[in-house]
Amino acid sequence: MNALKKYVGWVMILLIVSSCKTEQEPITVHETTPYIIDIPFAFPTKLNIPEDNPMTVEGVELGRYLFYDGRMSGRTHPDSLMSCGTCHLQKNNFEAGIDHPVFTDGFVHGINGIQTQHVMLPLINLVWNHNGYGWNGFITPDNDDPALRNIEDFVRIAVLAEDEIAGDTNRIKKLFQNLEGYPELFFKAFGSDKITFKNMERAIAQFVRTLISTDSRFDRYLRGETQLTASELNGFVLFTTEEGADCFHCHGGSGNPLFTTHLFYNNGKDTIFDEPMDRFAVTGDPMDKGAYKAPTLRNIELSGPYMHDGRFATLDEVIDFYSHHVKSSEQIDPLMHHVLRGGVQLTPPQKEDLKAFIRTLRDDTFLTNPDFAEPKKFPDEISK
Amino acid sequence: MVETVCLFSTKFVGFVYIEQIISKLMKSLEKILLLVAVVFMIGLFSCKKPVKEGSVNIRITHTVDGQPAVYNQINYINAAGNQYQISEIQWFITELALLDEANKSFSLMGTDEAWYIDTDLEETMQRTILAIPEGNYKALEFVFGFTEETNLSNRFVNPPESFMFWPEHMGGGYHYMKLNGKWLNPQGQKEPFNFHLGIGQIYDGEEIIDFVHNYFKVSLPMSDLKIIGEKSSNLVIEMQIENWFQSPNVYDHNEWGGAIMQKQDAMRIAIENGHDVFNVMEDL
C-alpha cells in the first residue's frame, strides 16, 4: 500500500512539472555574419572601423548595390541617375581617370554640371587611413564635429553636395523603400526593413572599406613570387633614396606598403596659396598653407589627373615636376630638401626607371575583382 | 549452526582486518600532518617580505640653448654659424632602464618594445612605468635608436612607427631619428635639411659593400632617484638639440647639405656628437 502511494505521488509530481511547460512562440533573431578582412604580411593591423558600424557580409552586400545604384540620386529618369560608381570607376582605381567616358580628362562634375572643387582621390585601402579623408583631411575621427568623422559622413556629403549627386535624403529613402528587394537587404544588414539614410551611409562605407589592394607586381616581388626588371629595380632604388627621387618619405615603400602616409605636405607646386580647401583650412596653422594629402601610389598610373587640382595629366608630367619645377616658399615641406635645385634632377633614363617602378604598383587583381564590380542586377531586378 | 558460526567468523575477521588498515592509515596520517606542520613553520619564518614597488613618469622635452624648442622660426644658430629652424623631430628610445646603486639594471620596457617620440604627437611625449622595485637608482639608461638585434624590418606595421622605415637596400630597419628643419644657406635662402640617422652604408663607387649600425647607448647619471613604494616619481629626458651640431665635431649644414641618409661620414659626426645631447632631471 505504501509502495502504491509512493508510486502515485511520483506520477503526480511528474504530471505537475510537465504541465508547467508552456508553448513558446519562435523568436526571429537578426543575425549578421562578420566580414573578416584578411591582412597580408607587413600591412597595418589597426583598421579604421567605427564601433557603431562593424563590417558584416550583409552590410557589404547591401553597400555594393547602393554604391552602384544610380537611383541614389533620388531620381529614376535615366538622365538623372547618379551613384558613387558613376565617378569612381573600378578600372581606374575607383577614381575617374583621364579616360572617363563622361568626364573629360577626369575632371568630374556633379549632376547639376558643377565641377568639383578638387579632383578625386582613389577609394583604395581606406580602411587603413587614420589621418583624415579628403585632400585636406577634414573628415577625421577626432573632428569636433561628429558629422565629419569617417567614410559614412563622406557618403552623406557626396550625396547632398551640389557639385556631386545633389540628392535629397528623404526622397532617396522613400524611393528605395519602395524598391522590391531593398527593404529585405536592409533588414538582413541592420535588423530593420525601414530604410534610414544613416543605414545607407553605413552600408556604402562598409563596402568601401572592403576595397583593398595588396596584390600588385611589387607585392608579389616582395613575397618572392616574381622578379622585377632591371629598370624597375633601379626605379625602386631611386624611389627610396634621398639622392635619387626620394619619394618614400611621403609615399611609403616596402616598410610602409600603403604607399602613402595619409599625411599632408606642401610639395612646392605653388608660391601663392589662395585655394580655400587646403590643409590650413583644417588646422589653421600657417605652415599648412598649400599642403595637401600625399595620395597612395597604388594603381596610380590609372588615376589621373594628378594633384589636388588635376594640373598634371600624366605620370611623366608629375615626374618632370618633381625633377625640375618644384617651387620654394615659406611653407615648403622640409622633406623637399632638393627644392632650391628645382627638384631631384632626374635624368631621362632615371625618369623612365622611376616610372617603370611606379607601374609595378598596379594591382590587376583589385582592378578586376568581381566582388568590387557593379552588380549585374539590382535587388528589384533579380526577381524579374 | 555451522553456517552461523562461519558467517560470524568471517565478519569478525573482516572487522579485525579493516581495523588494522585504519590503524595503519591513522599512523601515516599523523606523520603526514607532522611533516606539513614542520614545512609550514619553516616557510613562515623564511619567507621574504613582499617587495614594495613604485612608479615613474617620464616626460620628453626638446630644447635649444636651454629653452623649449620653438618650431618653424629661424631662431637658432649652431656651432657652425648656421642660422636654422626646426620643423619636427621623430625618434626612438629602446632598452630604457634604471641602474641601481649595485650597478644592477632594472628594465623599464620589454625587449620587444620601443618608445616612439614625435613632436607632432603630444601623446608620445610621456610614459608612466609601473612596478619598479623600491630603492635608490643612480642612472637612467637607454639605446638611442635600435641595436642590430632589434632593428628589424617590418617590426612595426602600424603608423606612425611604420613611417620610420629605413629602405632595405640601405640597411633596412628603421630611422633612429628624423630631425627636419631649414637653415639659411650662404645665399641667404632657406634650405630644408633632413637630419636623419639610422644604418649607414659604406660605398665602393656606387656599390654598397658594408653597413654601419650608428646607434649608441646613453647612460645619464642621476643624483639618487628614490623610488618609494606606491608612490610616483617624475623625470624628464631632455634632448638638447644644439649639441647634435657641436661637440666634438662642428656640424655644418653648408658642408653636408639637406640629406645625409647616404652619407655615413655625416652620420658618424652626428653620432659622435650624441654623447652629450641627452640629459635627465627630476620633473618639477
Side-chain angles (χ1 to χ4, degrees):
Chain A
M1 191 62 181
N2 283 339
L4 179 63
K5 282 183 184 174
K6 273 189 190 172
Y7 175 77
V8 169
W10 277 113
V11 168
M12 287 183 70
I13 288 170
L14 282 171
L15 282 173
I16 291 168
V17 167
S18 64
S19 70
C20 288
K21 288 183 188 176
T22 55
E23 283 294 322
Q24 289 188 347
E25 294 292 329
I27 298 171
T28 304
V29 176
H30 168 247
E31 284 185 13
T32 51
T33 313
Y35 185 100
I36 307 298
I37 292 178
D38 189 22
I39 301 175
F41 173 71
F43 279 77
T45 54
K46 289 183 185 171
L47 306 176
N48 186 357
I49 300 174
E51 283 185 8
D52 65 350
N53 192 19
M55 291 180 66
T56 67
V57 170
E58 295 80 8
V60 169
E61 181 193 11
L62 172 60
R64 179 169 161 234
Y65 283 123
L66 295 174
F67 184 90
Y68 285 107
D69 198 322
R71 293 167 291 189
M72 279 298 290
S73 65
R75 309 164 181 91
T76 55
H77 191 283
D79 289 342
S80 299
L81 302 178
M82 193 171 201
S83 71
C84 313
T86 305
C87 303
H88 293 276
L89 302 184
Q90 180 183 12
K91 74 175 188 70
N92 286 341
N93 205 25
F94 285 97
E95 271 201 46
I98 58 173
D99 62 349
H100 194 285
V102 174
F103 305 119
T104 308
D105 297 327
F107 288 93
V108 173
H109 54 79
I111 204 166
N112 292 328
I114 302 170
Q115 185 170 313
T116 54
Q117 180 80 23
H118 293 150
V119 298
M120 300 161 70
L121 281 164
L123 300 183
I124 165 179
N125 293 347
L126 296 187
V127 74
W128 283 304
N129 179 5
H130 300 266
N131 289 332
Y133 297 105
W135 279 103
N136 63 5
F138 75 109
I139 299 222
T140 180
D142 58 1
N143 197 317
D144 288 338
D145 185 347
L148 294 175
R149 290 196 174 149
N150 220 313
I151 297 174
E152 290 80 348
D153 302 306
F154 226 142
V155 170
R156 184 183 65 255
I157 289 168
V159 169
L160 298 180
E162 280 299 310
D163 60 352
E164 297 195 46
I165 297 178
D168 176 285
T169 56
N170 287 326
R171 188 170 168 168
I172 294 167
K173 284 185 297 186
K174 189 175 173 185
L175 173 58
F176 277 81
Q177 191 73 58
N178 292 306
L179 292 175
E180 187 183 346
Y182 270 110
E184 184 186 338
L185 288 176
F186 273 88
F187 177 81
K188 282 183 183 173
F190 299 112
S192 170
D193 59 7
K194 183 173 186 301
I195 295 176
T196 65
F197 196 77
K198 191 71 188 166
N199 283 343
M200 292 180 127
E201 294 171 15
R202 287 181 171 137
I204 294 174
Q206 286 192 36
F207 170 67
V208 169
R209 291 190 176 104
T210 68
L211 302 180
I212 287 172
S213 171
T214 61
D215 194 37
S216 67
R217 272 195 62 230
F218 184 66
D219 294 309
R220 281 181 261 127
Y221 163 74
L222 290 180
R223 295 195 299 258
E225 297 167 13
T226 191
Q227 288 291 344
L228 299 186
T229 66
S231 175
E232 290 163 346
L233 284 170
N234 193 42
F236 178 39
V237 171
L238 289 168
F239 190 92
T240 48
T241 47
E242 287 186 317
E243 293 179 12
D246 195 6
C247 312
F248 75 102
H249 278 119
C250 304
H251 286 291
S254 58
N256 170 17
L258 300 180
F259 280 90
T260 172
T261 59
H262 286 299
L263 294 172
F264 310 90
Y265 309 89
N266 182 315
N267 62 349
K269 295 191 296 291
D270 299 302
T271 55
I272 296 172
F273 311 113
D274 51 11
E275 203 272 317
M277 289 176 64
D278 60 2
R279 184 64 178 164
F280 169 72
V282 174
T283 66
D285 182 349
M287 292 305 291
D288 283 336
K289 287 186 177 179
Y292 298 90
K293 182 185 286 284
T296 181
L297 297 188
R298 288 184 168 271
N299 301 306
I300 195 73
E301 66 177 282
L302 298 165
S303 50
Y306 304 104
M307 305 295 169
H308 71 283
D309 53 5
R311 63 181 64 187
F312 301 128
T314 65
L315 280 182
D316 288 321
E317 289 178 36
V318 174
I319 293 172
D320 208 51
F321 157 72
Y322 280 116
S323 285
H324 308 295
H325 302 295
V326 178
K327 300 186 185 79
S328 183
S329 68
E330 183 65 27
Q331 287 81 13
I332 187 82
D333 196 283
L335 290 171
M336 307 294 291
H337 55 87
H338 37 68
V339 59
L340 293 186
R341 293 182 294 151
V344 294
Q345 300 291 314
L346 294 183
T347 64
Q350 288 178 324
K351 290 178 186 177
E352 287 304 310
D353 288 346
L354 179 64
K355 188 169 72 173
F357 167 69
I358 289 171
R359 297 181 76 174
T360 70
L361 302 178
R362 175 179 174 139
D363 177 358
D364 284 309
T365 307
F366 170 80
L367 297 167
T368 58
N369 188 337
D371 292 343
F372 305 152
E374 179 170 352
K376 291 189 168 44
K377 288 188 176 184
F378 289 96
D380 57 320
E381 296 168 332
I382 288 171
S383 59
K384 292 175 184 162
Chain B
M1 179 67 176
V2 169
E3 292 84 359
T4 304
V5 168
C6 286
L7 184 64
F8 179 75
S9 300
T10 305
K11 284 186 179 176
F12 179 74
V13 167
F15 281 132
V16 169
Y17 184 66
I18 289 170
E19 191 192 28
Q20 286 177 345
I21 290 172
I22 290 173
S23 175
K24 283 183 182 173
L25 279 173
M26 288 301 293
K27 285 181 183 169
S28 297
L29 189 60
E30 283 171 5
K31 287 180 185 171
I32 290 169
L33 284 172
L34 182 62
L35 182 63
V36 168
V38 168
V39 168
F40 177 76
M41 295 301 286
I42 293 171
L44 187 64
F45 290 105
S46 67
C47 272
K48 290 179 185 173
K49 290 182 183 174
V51 175
K52 288 189 182 174
E53 295 174 331
S55 64
V56 65
N57 302 315
I58 304 179
R59 189 167 60 87
I60 305 289
T61 64
H62 302 91
T63 63
V64 184
D65 301 329
Q67 298 297 315
V70 174
Y71 299 92
N72 295 317
Q73 295 175 40
I74 292 275
N75 283 343
Y76 308 117
I77 301 177
N78 66 14
N82 307 141
Q83 289 180 265
Y84 70 100
Q85 70 187 55
I86 303 158
S87 302
E88 69 255 335
I89 310 170
Q90 296 132 3
W91 56 292
F92 280 106
I93 283 176
T94 55
E95 300 186 20
L96 185 67
L98 287 172
L99 196 67
D100 70 13
E101 289 173 330
N103 283 329
K104 191 176 165 192
S105 180
F106 180 80
S107 181
L108 298 179
M109 56 172 51
T111 52
D112 60 347
E113 276 191 82
W115 184 355
Y116 171 72
I117 297 146
D118 186 334
T119 54
D120 288 334
L121 298 174
E122 189 59 36
E123 65 270 21
T124 65
M125 303 284 278
Q126 61 182 20
R127 277 202 173 191
T128 297
I129 297 125
L130 304 173
I132 302 172
E134 195 176 62
N136 295 328
Y137 295 89
K138 65 177 187 178
L140 182 76
E141 300 185 326
F142 59 87
V143 168
F144 169 75
F146 300 89
T147 64
E148 296 101 302
E149 291 77 24
T150 61
N151 199 6
L152 304 174
S153 297
N154 298 122
R155 171 182 170 166
F156 304 110
V157 296
N158 289 306
E161 290 89 344
S162 60
F163 298 162
M164 294 287 279
F165 80 95
W166 189 269
E168 280 306 308
H169 59 90
M170 288 167 56
Y174 292 87
H175 286 70
Y176 308 156
M177 181 172 76
K178 296 180 188 175
L179 194 166
N180 297 328
K182 297 174 185 174
W183 89 99
L184 287 181
N185 66 18
Q187 289 74 43
Q189 300 163 305
K190 261 196 198 179
E191 188 160 350
F193 68 82
N194 300 157
F195 192 71
H196 292 189
L197 303 177
I199 295 177
Q201 312 91 49
I202 305 296
Y203 289 84
D204 180 4
E206 291 191 5
E207 186 186 345
I208 296 173
I209 58 173
D210 204 359
F211 296 106
V212 179
H213 290 267
N214 286 311
Y215 72 92
F216 57 91
K217 296 189 179 180
V218 179
S219 184
L220 303 172
M222 300 184 290
S223 51
D224 271 341
L225 171 69
K226 196 182 285 292
I227 298 291
I228 300 171
E230 296 173 28
K231 291 199 172 165
S232 189
S233 301
N234 299 296
L235 294 176
V236 172
I237 297 176
E238 177 190 16
M239 175 189 283
Q240 300 167 100
I241 292 168
E242 73 277 10
N243 285 352
W244 282 117
F245 305 120
Q246 60 191 19
S247 174
N249 308 296
V250 173
Y251 183 100
D252 188 347
H253 290 301
N254 291 319
E255 178 181 351
W256 298 109
I260 61 171
M261 286 175 69
Q262 293 165 271
K263 295 174 183 170
Q264 171 56 23
D265 287 342
M267 286 199 280
R268 177 183 55 78
I269 285 172
I271 296 302
E272 287 173 359
N273 288 350
H275 71 96
D276 66 348
V277 165
F278 298 102
N279 189 23
V280 67
M281 63 195 94
E282 193 180 349
D283 195 2
L284 300 170

